[in-house]
Amino acid sequence: MSLAAKFDDILARAEELRDLLASGAQGQEFVRASRELSELEQVVGLIIEFRETEQSLAETTAMLADPEMRELAEAEAETLKARIPELEKDIQLALLPKDEADERSAILEVRPAAGGDEAALFAAQLFAMYQRYAESQGWRFEIMEYADTELGGLKEGIASITGRNVFAKLKFESGVHRVQRVPETESQGRIHTSTVTVAVLPEAEEVDVEVNEGDLRIDVYRASGAGGQHVNKTESAVRITHIPTGIVVAMQEEKSQHKNRAKAMKILRARMYERERASLHASRAADRKSQVGTGDRSERIRTYNFPQGRVTDHRINLTLYKIDRVMLGELDEIISALSAEDQAARLATFTSQAA
């Protein structure tokens, strides 16, 4: 289907929805029609502007034959010609399939992989980096689980990040993050390489995932750990196992067993929701697998090289020589570049399909 024909279909559908709403649609029919029309309004406005611009260009071009109007018409024609491809691209972007999870809040999970104590120390730094970034975005960052080590490293950190478009901005952070630096415990000054895994899951509502209580095994036990401030040594820790999928979530951050269970269920739903999304979208599942991998040193999406002061994202060959700023949570440049690359790839696919 040509773009022109697609534009006609969109305009016709918008008019159909307006008629439906005006005719007195009720209940779910009204809700669905209102939502669909709301989603179409942006692209409808762009299509109308695109066609009006094409019409203006045709009229301006006709004025070129008039010697008295020629100079003015030429300037106007150049402006209109430049605007048309811009509008066409804006429309194509608006028509790209949207990930319905993009607007959601997210669950962040950070764990050390290869590298022992040094990996745990860097995991703690990454967790803090994301907390600072969340604060800079005006999001709420709630620590759900934080198991630390005696040296101040992180065994496992889980946070709920609440706000608008959290998942859209953080979803490309999932994967293996590699750090290269000289550990404080290294007396010979040798550079060590360690890795940390990061997973970002869209937060799921109860209506998204049906959890049958009969499918759950719930164990209660005494919290334990390195004795850090985040560990409560009470008999309130909860471990929930979803038997059909084998997903296990353990939570001991709160002193209340009830609160730990509620947090564990929130994480369980997010993992189950992501599992369903992955099965429905095979391409995304393959992408996630390639990003997260096994946590081996050789598998990485990003490298943080402290001796050289650089951060490199290997998926888009982006290198920034401001590692200190990045670790302070200044991630906008990296996240924007990743989003732009993803958008360009999807736009190329859309254009080839529309051709």
Side-chain angles (χ1 to χ4, degrees):
M1 178 187 294
S2 68
L3 280 177
K6 193 171 187 67
F7 292 171
D8 288 337
D9 286 349
I10 292 170
L11 294 175
R13 178 55 179 166
E15 191 60 34
E16 181 182 333
L17 290 168
R18 291 192 193 98
D19 291 342
L20 178 62
L21 292 171
S23 68
Q26 301 291 324
Q28 286 299 311
E29 183 181 35
F30 177 85
V31 172
R32 283 193 294 268
S34 297
R35 183 182 295 124
E36 185 180 351
L37 182 58
S38 177
E39 292 173 352
L40 284 177
E41 282 176 346
Q42 179 192 8
V43 71
V44 165
L46 288 168
I47 291 172
I48 291 172
E49 184 182 352
F50 176 81
R51 291 190 163 172
E52 288 177 348
T53 303
E54 281 191 320
Q55 179 63 30
S56 295
L57 178 59
E59 294 171 357
T60 302
T61 302
M63 291 168 58
L64 293 174
D66 186 342
E68 294 183 0
M69 300 293 294
R70 185 177 183 84
E71 185 175 349
L72 182 63
E74 284 180 344
E76 179 67 14
E78 288 302 313
T79 300
L80 293 169
K81 285 179 181 178
R83 181 60 180 148
I84 286 175
E86 291 176 357
L87 283 168
E88 191 172 58
K89 183 177 180 180
D90 288 343
I91 293 169
Q92 290 173 345
L93 289 174
L95 289 174
L96 287 178
K98 292 178 176 59
D99 185 341
E100 61 89 23
D102 276 352
E103 295 184 359
R104 296 190 178 220
S105 298
I107 300 293
L108 168 73
E109 302 181 359
V110 179
R111 298 179 181 84
D117 288 337
E118 173 64 9
L121 288 168
F122 187 61
Q125 288 182 281
L126 278 186
F127 195 79
M129 177 187 76
Y130 289 120
Q131 184 169 9
R132 294 186 190 104
Y133 178 70
E135 290 169 353
S136 74
Q137 299 297 306
W139 299 334
R140 180 168 177 261
F141 190 97
E142 178 191 0
I143 296 176
M144 303 183 73
E145 183 76 353
Y146 194 103
D148 49 6
T149 68
E150 293 179 357
L151 295 178
L154 178 64
K155 292 179 182 177
E156 178 183 51
I158 302 176
S160 170
I161 307 177
T162 307
R164 184 172 177 79
N165 294 326
V166 175
F167 186 68
K169 290 194 173 184
L170 290 181
K171 62 184 177 182
F172 298 114
E173 293 301 297
S174 289
V176 175
H177 296 242
R178 183 174 69 170
V179 59
Q180 295 174 324
R181 64 183 176 186
V182 179
E184 293 181 10
T185 56
E186 171 56 60
S187 59
Q188 302 298 318
R190 293 172 297 187
I191 296 175
H192 286 227
T193 298
S194 305
T195 57
V196 172
T197 59
V198 173
V200 179
L201 312 175
E203 198 165 284
E205 303 293 338
E206 290 189 32
V207 295
D208 297 319
V209 179
E210 183 178 349
V211 181
N212 188 334
E213 288 288 331
D215 291 336
L216 302 179
R217 184 175 71 243
I218 301 176
D219 302 305
V220 180
Y221 58 98
R222 180 181 292 273
S224 62
Q229 62 176 331
H230 299 289
V231 177
N232 301 304
K233 295 185 176 179
T234 63
E235 294 183 355
S236 59
V238 174
R239 180 187 298 109
I240 300 178
T241 303
H242 186 249
I243 298 171
T245 61
I247 296 174
V248 179
V249 180
M251 186 62 56
Q252 62 178 25
E253 183 71 14
E254 301 287 345
K255 293 180 181 179
S256 161
Q257 182 186 127
H258 175 74
K259 289 182 179 179
N260 280 327
R261 173 170 174 155
K263 285 186 172 183
M265 286 300 297
K266 187 175 185 178
I267 295 169
L268 176 65
R269 286 194 187 93
R271 292 182 185 174
M272 291 177 66
Y273 180 55
E274 176 68 0
R275 185 185 181 102
E276 289 183 10
R277 279 164 45 82
S279 65
L280 289 172
H281 306 284
S283 60
R284 187 178 188 282
D287 181 57
R288 177 174 169 77
K289 182 178 180 182
S290 68
Q291 288 182 15
V292 176
T294 63
D296 185 80
R297 287 184 177 87
S298 63
E299 300 179 340
R300 80 283 187 208
I301 61 167
R302 189 175 301 153
T303 294
Y304 304 75
N305 187 301
F306 280 81
Q308 296 180 16
R310 65 174 170 83
V311 177
T312 300
D313 195 291
H314 305 287
R315 294 163 294 180
I316 54 176
N317 295 319
L318 172 68
T319 296
L320 302 176
Y321 286 91
K322 50 181 179 182
I323 195 167
D324 291 344
R325 307 307 305 172
V326 170
M327 298 309 297
L328 287 174
E330 294 185 11
L331 298 173
D332 281 329
E333 189 170 352
I334 296 174
I335 288 174
S336 294
L338 287 164
S339 297
E341 180 71 16
D342 174 67
Q343 190 179 72
R346 291 189 297 125
L347 185 57
T349 301
F350 174 87
T351 304
S352 65
Q353 291 174 344

